[in-house]
């Protein structure tokens, strides 16, 4: 039997989550704030020794309970309810749990906004061309074009980690301790996540040079939690704290395997529903890696479990890609290829994880960033997209970077240590595979789609260069036919409505066919363009969430387009302006000038 293109060694090393009904370390979640003394009094006869508040921020209220021996969850809940405490659920504070508690009620809950976390203004940063900076490039990297993507100014990123060295070199807005009284200074891991995503200001006395990351003007905070595996409350508490502080993107690149719990569900719901003023904060988690063999198998598991935090639908799960764009593979001492990441149905996107510059290294060395580094690069890219359009919802953000990803061929140059490690062999019809998700994240393409509907339509038909040229030209001065506010809103509307996108793609294809052939234009009635524009704007008008300022501008544009359909002189002027812009955009996109472009395209047409 031939193995299907989607199949791989989808087996776990061990069971992650065993049902648990009692524990000595508990979390009691309630519907509203409760007095610690009331909870302690209700549980005293059950052997509870200590009750402490963990989170008291509507709609989440958690209380930690420490007992001298295991307490039955059902008994605890009954005792508290009998005492008048409004219990949502009782869960273990130390063992992962796939059960869901009572749903959070958002009634009256305040959306999270940044009140004391300062944003940074845009600045100009040097863009070195050292070998380790390939991750910025289009070939194998995430394609960062500063003219389109900006620098992430105005955005905020929270990195959750369990240790960090050289925090003074990072330029942190703040270092926040959650569930711990000390920040370990053993590993660079947390510092590297911040440096790759944002950058660092450097430390001349320690020989650490400044480094511009993917989003160098995002404002970073580091949230330090205890080492994973000891308890389950610090990670969700850190997510809630970071989102409540105003984080646009939360990066959890520390080990979170088997950390799913009702508390994590609450935290991700909080981020998704209340983050960024109600638009939702993005949460980024790497795939991790499991190279042990499952029982009865000689192959590495390399399996991302469906129940783990990285597989949660409210999270963007990131896999590492290599310098050629496919899944990241490294060579062992015998020159055999091995992967460095898990695979699974929930992998959403890939980002570079191959040899990258180590920003904190006193020698300009490179090293494997793996899935952690890939998630930091992806977090930086998300900050760039939110920098160009802060109004995107988190679901729109996830959809945007997924839709604009590059579906790289996974060509393998070399001999694998185990052929099973490289499975699955193919890609599903929707472009997904278990190794790289929907493909390699492309920051410039995502920012084009987020910034302007015409640029989005051009990119959608494969004309990324033309899209960039159009966007730079449109944003260059007072001659723009519409405002940036309308452009960003319309770009979101086009993403939501496939019919709108089709109308716009038809128009840009029309102008592409005319751009280099002036003689074709006399056969096209100019009123046709005005009519198509009027119908497009009318459909935009019917969108359900049109801001008042945008509605006023749409009304003017629609009226002008309708008037052009009734006046040939005005229609001709409108059509000529569009054709002139298209000629400049498409000539630039193929990097040819004037008559040379016409001759080149004409030669292609004659040969066909």
């Amino acid at each position: 039997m031939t193995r299907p293109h989607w199949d791989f060694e989808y087996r776990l090393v061990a069971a992650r989550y065993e049902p648990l009904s009692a524990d000595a370390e508990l979390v009691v979640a309630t519907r509203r704030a409760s007095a610690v003394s009331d909870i302690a009094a209700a549980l005293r006869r059950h052997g509870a020794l200590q009750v402490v508040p963990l989170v008291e921020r509507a709609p989440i209220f958690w209380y930690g309970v420490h007992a001298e021996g295991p307490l039955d969850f059902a008994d605890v809940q009954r005792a508290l309810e009998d005492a008048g405490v409004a219990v949502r659920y009782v869960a273990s504070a130390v063992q992962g749990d796939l059960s869901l508690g009572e749903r959070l009620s958002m009634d009256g809950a305040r959306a999270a906004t940044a009140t004391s976390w300062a944003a940074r203004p845009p600045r100009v940063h040097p863009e070195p061309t050292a070998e380790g900076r390939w991750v910025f490039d289009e070939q194998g990297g995430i394609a960062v074009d500063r003219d389109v993507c900006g620098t992430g100014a105005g955005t905020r990123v929270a990195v959750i980690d369990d240790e960090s060295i050289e925090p003074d070199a990072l330029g942190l807005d703040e270092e926040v301790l959650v569930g711990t009284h000390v920040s370990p200074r053993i590993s660079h891991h947390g510092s590297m996540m911040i440096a790759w995503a944002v950058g660092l200001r450097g430390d001349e006395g320690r020989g650490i040079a400044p480094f511009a990351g993917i989003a160098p003007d995002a404002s970073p905070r580091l949230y330090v939690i205890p080492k994973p595996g000891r308890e389950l409350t610090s990670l969700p508490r850190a997510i809630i704290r970071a989102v409540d502080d105003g984080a646009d993107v939360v990066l959890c690149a520390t080990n979170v395997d088997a950390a799913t719990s009702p508390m994590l569900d609450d935290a991700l719901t909080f981020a998704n529903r209340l983050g960024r003023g109600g638009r939702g904060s993005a949460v980024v988690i790497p795939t991790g890696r499991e190279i042990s063999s499952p029982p009865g198998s000689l192959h590495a598991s390399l399996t991302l479990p469906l129940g783990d935090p990285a597989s949660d639908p409210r999270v963007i799960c990131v896999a590492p890609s290599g310098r050629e764009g496919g899944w990241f593979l490294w060579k062992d001492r015998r020159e055999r290829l091995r992967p460095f990441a898990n695979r699974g149905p929930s992998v959403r996107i890939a980002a570079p994880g191959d040899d990258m510059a180590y920003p904190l290294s006193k020698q300009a060395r490179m090293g494997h960033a793996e899935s952690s580094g890939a998630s930091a690069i992806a977090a930086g890219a998300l900050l760039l997209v939110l920098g160009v359009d802060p109004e995107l919802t988190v679901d729109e953000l996830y959809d945007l970077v997924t839709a604009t990803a590059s579906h790289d061929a996974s060509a393998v140059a070399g001999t694998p240590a185990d052929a099973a490690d490289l499975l699955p062999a193919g890609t599903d019809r929707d472009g997904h595979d278990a190794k790289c998700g929907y493909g390699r994240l492309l920051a410039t393409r995502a920012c084009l789609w987020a910034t302007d509907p015409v640029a989005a339509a051009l990119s959608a038909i494969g004309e990324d260069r033309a899209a960039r040229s159009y966007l730079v030209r449109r944003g260059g001065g007072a001659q723009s036919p519409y405002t940036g506010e309308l452009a960003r809103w319309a770009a979101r509307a086009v993403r939501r409505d496939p019919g709108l996108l089709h109308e716009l793609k038809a128009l840009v294809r029309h102008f592409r066919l005319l751009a280099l052939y002036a003689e074709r234009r006399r056969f096209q009635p100019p009123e046709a363009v005005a009519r198509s524009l009027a119908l497009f704007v009318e459909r935009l008008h019917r969108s359900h969430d049109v801001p008042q300022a945008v509605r006023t501008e749409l009304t003017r544009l629609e009226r002008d387009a309708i008037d052009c359909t009734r006046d040939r002189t005005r229609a001709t002027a409108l059509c000529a302006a569009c054709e002139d812009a298209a000629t400049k955009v498409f000539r630039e996109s193929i990097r040819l000038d004037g008559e040379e472009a016409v001759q080149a395209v004409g030669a292609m047409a004659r040969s066909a």
Side-chain angles (χ1 to χ4, degrees):
M1 173 182 172
T2 302
R3 184 188 287 266
H5 74 271
W6 41 261
D7 194 27
F8 67 96
E9 300 295 312
Y10 189 50
R11 299 177 62 186
L12 302 182
V13 172
R16 297 273 204 196
Y17 303 94
E18 294 292 340
L20 192 67
S21 60
D23 207 341
E25 301 290 337
L26 308 180
V27 173
V28 172
T30 63
R31 299 185 193 93
R32 50 186 174 272
S34 302
V36 169
S37 58
D38 291 344
I39 296 175
L43 299 181
R44 189 167 293 120
R45 69 181 183 87
H46 291 270
L49 299 179
Q50 186 181 24
V51 179
V52 295
L54 298 176
V55 177
E56 292 183 311
R57 197 289 195 195
I60 298 176
F61 304 96
W62 297 341
Y63 302 90
V65 177
H66 170 67
E68 56 189 6
L71 300 182
D72 183 84
F73 299 163
D75 290 346
V76 168
Q77 181 149 349
R78 278 193 296 270
L80 291 171
E81 289 173 345
D82 290 345
V85 178
V87 182
R88 288 180 53 234
Y89 61 80
V90 178
S92 171
V94 295
Q95 180 171 313
D97 185 353
L98 295 175
S99 68
L100 293 170
E102 178 185 304
R103 293 283 86 189
L104 280 173
S105 172
M106 297 295 167
D107 293 344
R110 171 181 55 85
T113 56
T115 56
S116 60
W117 187 345
R120 294 174 174 176
R123 297 169 294 168
V124 177
H125 299 268
E127 299 287 348
T129 57
E131 185 182 2
R133 305 280 291 185
W134 63 272
V135 297
F136 289 77
D137 301 335
E138 186 172 357
Q139 181 60 43
I142 64 166
V144 177
D145 181 336
R146 292 294 182 205
D147 288 338
V148 174
C149 299
T151 57
T155 64
R156 302 167 178 84
V157 60
V159 172
I160 299 175
D161 215 293
D162 52 68
E163 54 189 354
S164 170
I165 291 178
E166 312 285 5
D168 294 339
L170 299 175
L172 294 173
D173 179 83
E174 187 177 349
E175 185 176 19
V176 181
L177 305 184
V178 180
T180 182
H181 299 293
V182 61
S183 180
R185 307 298 188 203
I186 301 171
S187 162
H188 281 104
H189 193 269
S191 302
M192 297 296 283
M193 298 304 104
I194 292 171
W196 279 324
V198 177
L200 49 84
R201 66 185 180 192
D203 188 329
E204 186 176 349
R206 294 176 179 268
I208 300 172
F211 181 90
I214 300 298
D217 287 328
S219 180
R221 281 188 178 182
L222 177 63
Y223 293 76
V224 182
I225 62 174
K227 282 287 186 184
R230 300 175 182 175
E231 48 81 43
L232 291 175
T233 63
S234 294
L235 172 63
R237 287 170 63 196
I239 293 173
I240 293 167
R241 172 68 188 273
V243 171
D244 200 27
D245 286 348
D248 298 298
V249 175
V250 179
L251 171 59
C252 308
T254 189
N255 181 9
V256 297
D257 295 349
T260 297
S261 68
M263 292 79 74
L264 184 64
D265 175 57
D266 282 354
L268 294 178
T269 299
F270 184 90
N272 189 262
R273 300 279 300 279
L274 296 179
R276 296 175 54 242
R279 292 182 293 275
S281 298
V283 179
V284 183
I285 299 182
T287 59
R289 59 181 171 134
E290 179 54 81
I291 58 174
S292 300
S293 298
S297 173
L298 297 178
H299 305 297
S301 172
L302 294 171
T303 291
L304 174 65
L306 187 63
D308 268 11
S311 292
D312 191 284
R314 294 159 292 191
V315 160
I316 188 159
C317 177
V318 182
S321 60
R323 297 190 71 158
E324 302 303 318
W327 205 31
F328 169 43
L329 301 170
W330 62 283
K331 288 184 178 181
D332 63 17
R333 293 180 180 178
R334 297 172 62 183
E335 295 294 303
R336 298 176 306 181
L337 298 174
R338 296 181 182 273
F340 237 141
N342 289 334
R343 306 159 286 186
S346 302
V347 176
R348 182 136 18 185
I349 207 81
D354 204 341
D355 286 344
M356 285 159 44
Y358 269 35
L360 288 158
S361 174
K362 295 176 184 178
Q363 298 81 32
R365 69 185 182 93
M366 297 191 298
H368 296 331
E370 305 177 36
S371 62
S372 290
S375 66
I377 298 299
L382 296 181
L383 292 165
L384 294 180
V385 178
L386 291 176
V388 301
D389 186 4
E391 297 300 316
L392 286 167
T393 68
V394 68
D395 291 331
E396 289 172 333
L397 175 65
Y398 289 173
D399 177 62
L400 192 59
V401 297
T402 299
T404 55
S406 171
H407 302 288
D408 299 311
S410 296
V412 177
T415 303
D418 181 353
D421 286 349
L422 304 189
L423 297 173
T427 301
D428 288 338
R429 183 178 295 171
D430 64 352
H432 185 276
D433 73 70
K435 296 182 291 189
C436 293
Y438 292 99
R440 175 168 48 97
L441 193 156
L442 295 177
T444 295
R445 189 179 293 175
C447 289
L448 285 170
W449 282 58
T451 306
D452 184 279
V454 177
L458 286 165
S459 178
I461 67 172
E463 298 288 353
D464 284 350
R465 287 180 182 171
R468 182 197 181 280
S469 175
Y470 175 82
L471 189 62
V472 171
R473 285 179 173 278
R474 186 193 66 76
Q479 299 304 312
S480 174
Y482 46 85
T483 63
E485 182 181 6
L486 171 59
R488 291 186 293 273
W489 174 85
R492 296 194 298 274
V494 162
R495 285 288 305 141
R496 291 192 299 264
D497 186 341
L500 270 171
L501 184 57
H502 168 73
E503 289 185 46
L504 201 49
K505 287 192 292 188
L507 269 170
V508 298
R509 286 186 173 113
H510 167 83
F511 285 114
R512 183 174 62 178
L513 288 165
L514 301 184
L516 305 179
Y517 291 95
E519 71 276 9
R520 289 178 175 176
R521 299 173 188 176
R522 69 176 185 270
F523 300 106
Q524 304 288 336
E527 293 87 351
V529 169
R531 182 177 184 277
S532 294
L533 286 171
L535 292 174
F536 173 74
V537 175
E538 189 273 334
R539 184 162 180 157
L540 271 178
H541 235 143
R542 288 190 274 117
S543 299
H544 68 279
D545 62 343
V546 189
Q548 185 54 51
V550 169
R551 189 176 296 280
T552 299
E553 189 174 357
L554 284 175
T555 299
R556 176 183 60 78
L557 290 173
E558 184 180 6
R559 183 178 62 248
D560 289 347
I562 290 173
D563 288 346
C564 285
T565 66
R566 302 166 179 167
D567 185 328
R568 168 143 295 201
T569 300
R570 293 186 61 183
T572 300
L574 172 65
C575 207
C578 293
E579 289 165 353
D580 180 60
T583 299
K584 293 175 182 176
V585 162
F586 283 108
R587 281 181 177 173
E588 286 183 4
S589 75
I590 59 174
R591 297 181 176 176
L592 295 172
D593 294 318
E595 191 61 31
E596 186 181 8
V598 178
Q599 292 172 0
V601 177
M604 286 188 290
R606 287 191 296 274
S607 66

